[in-house]
Amino acid sequence: GAALTLALTLALALCAALVVFLPTNGAAGLSRAGPLRSRANLKPVSLARRALCTAMKGGAAGTGVLGNPTWQQTMLRVKDGEKSVQHYQDVYGMTLLDKLDFPDMKFSLYFLATVKDGEKTPEPGTDDAHRYLWNYPGATLELTHNWGSETEEGEVYHPGNQEKDGFGHIAFACDDVYASSDSLLTQGVEFKKKPDEGRMKGLAFAYDPDRYWVEIVRREPINSPKFNLAQTMLRVKDPKKSLKFYIDHMGMTLVREKHFEEAKFSLYFLATIPEGSTEPDPSQPVLELTHNHGTEDDPSFNHFTGNEDGRKGFGHVGFLVDDVYAKCKELEEAGFEMKKGPEDGTMKGLAFALDPDGYWVEIIKRGGYDAKATP
């Protein structure tokens, strides 16, 4: 993807959700702001694991869904691009896959991912890196830097987690949350919640340079680096509508759901299933949708999406598709609005749709846009 700063910033995004009891105030309330939600120590009323090829629609790499959509990115706006890239490389072991500069519009895009140990990737900024990025089979973290913001005083972007904010956090998984948190502390990482604090033990929330919340969660041991990008969390008003959008139209699969009736919230975990497989790749992130019960019955309720004036931070999630124009036509015929059609603006051939909550969903051509695979 590419981004339109000022009018439309193209970038991408992914998140996680939880009711976390913070040491500062005891228990986080269950307000519709979307409190932190944790899967760790709350016992769900039901836990359903659904693999592809069962009752859920979608399929491996979007099989059966027009355009063969695959989740490819989560975008966050950052104050200082180089500082944030360094943070995610040094702290979480991410690899910079590519960098795109747009001098006319004065912004840069950085795409990072968790790659397997020993995997070689092209030099960022090269034609090979562009081709690699726009054919990448996993999900990336896209950091959008508007030039000059690094010289501004104080926080530039809104990290979320205030009243009615929709974006919650991104997350990284590791084998041992306690040991990993100790390691992060030695690197000077600041924490919102350490794993031994509050009533929810065994999970943590760290801050990144822009004060976005980064959840640290435990995984089953896998052949993966110390950390792997694990999730992007978005709060949704009506899960039925959101699940239909991401499953029926964006080719994702519901791989897990949890319902906490006493606490009045539910979690839904969606993934793009790798081509040729019926199971999610444990080294790749999931899209976590958090639903606070009752919001679907309130006609006046809505979440902030991260693109409103004064609340910009999280930008969007993005999907690669075979044909952007055909995909947009299908979405419009299904009743979904377009924030930017593929022929709108100066960036031709890429688009932004709006999901049922109004989150921006970037639609990007798989393989890139020209011989150099650049937008």
Side-chain angles (χ1 to χ4, degrees):
L4 304 170
T5 23
L6 302 180
L8 291 170
T9 301
L10 236 69
L12 311 103
L14 233 330
C15 300
L18 324 248
V19 181
V20 170
F21 295 90
L22 303 176
T24 54
N25 60 2
L30 295 175
S31 73
R32 289 184 179 180
L36 284 178
R37 305 259 160 158
S38 170
R39 302 159 307 287
N41 295 329
L42 288 175
K43 296 185 183 298
V45 170
S46 66
L47 171 58
R49 293 179 179 274
R50 299 174 183 173
L52 194 64
C53 302
T54 60
M56 299 311 300
K57 294 183 180 180
T63 301
V65 177
L66 181 68
N68 192 29
T70 56
W71 183 33
Q72 200 252 2
Q73 52 191 224
T74 290
M75 185 274 267
L76 301 177
R77 300 176 179 92
V78 298
K79 176 179 178 178
D80 187 324
E82 293 185 1
K83 181 178 180 180
S84 292
V85 168
Q86 198 71 45
H87 176 83
Y88 283 103
Q89 287 178 320
D90 293 349
V91 175
Y92 299 107
M94 301 193 81
T95 297
L96 180 64
L97 300 185
D98 201 8
K99 178 188 177 187
L100 301 176
D101 295 317
F102 298 86
D104 291 346
M105 291 180 281
K106 294 182 170 54
F107 72 91
S108 296
L109 305 178
Y110 302 84
F111 296 87
L112 299 109
T114 301
V115 302
K116 296 178 181 178
D117 290 335
E119 181 177 345
K120 302 297 183 182
T121 60
E123 180 68 23
T126 64
D127 294 347
D128 286 343
H130 302 335
R131 282 188 285 270
Y132 185 82
L133 174 65
W134 302 126
N135 289 284
Y136 189 66
T140 66
L141 176 63
E142 178 185 1
L143 304 180
T144 296
H145 172 228
N146 292 302
W147 296 358
S149 60
E150 69 277 10
T151 64
E152 297 181 29
E153 293 293 329
E155 293 183 11
V156 172
Y157 295 112
H158 179 63
N161 294 302
Q162 293 183 12
E163 186 69 24
K164 294 181 68 175
D165 280 334
F167 172 70
H169 55 271
I170 60 172
F172 287 86
C174 60
D175 294 343
D176 187 328
V177 174
Y178 289 87
S180 295
S181 296
D182 288 343
S183 176
L184 297 185
L185 285 168
T186 65
Q187 297 179 71
V189 174
E190 186 180 350
F191 277 76
K192 175 71 176 179
K193 176 198 176 300
K194 298 174 185 174
D196 58 350
E197 292 179 329
R199 292 163 56 185
M200 304 299 290
K201 309 297 184 184
L203 61 88
F205 280 87
Y207 289 116
D208 86 344
D210 289 272
R211 311 292 287 183
Y212 291 115
W213 292 13
V214 179
E215 186 188 11
I216 312 299
V217 298
R218 189 183 70 83
R219 69 187 177 203
E220 295 300 322
I222 58 175
N223 184 20
S224 182
K226 182 177 179 181
F227 290 101
N228 66 279
L229 184 62
Q231 51 192 221
T232 293
M233 186 273 268
L234 298 176
R235 300 176 179 96
V236 299
K237 176 177 180 175
D238 187 334
K240 291 182 179 179
K241 293 180 179 180
S242 297
L243 291 172
K244 183 175 178 59
F245 175 83
Y246 285 103
I247 293 171
D248 290 359
H249 297 284
M250 305 316 298
M252 303 191 84
T253 296
L254 179 64
V255 295
R256 187 166 76 255
E257 61 182 272
K258 295 184 177 182
H259 305 281
F260 303 94
E261 298 300 336
E262 185 176 348
K264 294 184 171 56
F265 75 95
S266 296
L267 306 176
Y268 302 88
F269 299 87
L270 296 151
T272 293
I273 305 297
E275 187 172 0
S277 176
T278 59
E279 298 289 338
D281 182 345
S283 68
Q284 286 296 320
V286 296
L287 180 62
E288 178 180 2
L289 303 181
T290 295
H291 172 232
N292 290 308
H293 298 172
T295 55
E296 70 278 17
D297 299 322
D298 183 350
S300 66
F301 182 80
N302 65 278
H303 289 105
F304 293 112
T305 66
N307 290 299
E308 297 86 357
D309 288 340
R311 306 185 83 95
K312 290 182 179 178
F314 165 77
H316 56 270
V317 293
F319 290 77
L320 298 179
V321 300
D322 295 336
D323 186 325
V324 173
Y325 292 85
K327 191 64 191 178
C328 291
K329 183 175 184 293
E330 180 228 3
L331 290 173
E332 287 186 293
E333 289 178 349
F336 297 103
E337 296 182 36
M338 303 301 298
K339 180 67 179 180
K340 175 196 177 299
E343 285 298 300
D344 297 338
T346 59
M347 300 294 229
K348 306 297 184 184
L350 58 87
F352 281 94
L354 299 179
D355 84 350
D357 286 273
Y359 293 118
W360 294 13
V361 178
E362 187 179 12
I363 313 295
I364 313 140
K365 180 183 175 184
R366 181 177 287 104
Y369 292 80
D370 57 26
K372 295 183 179 181
T374 54

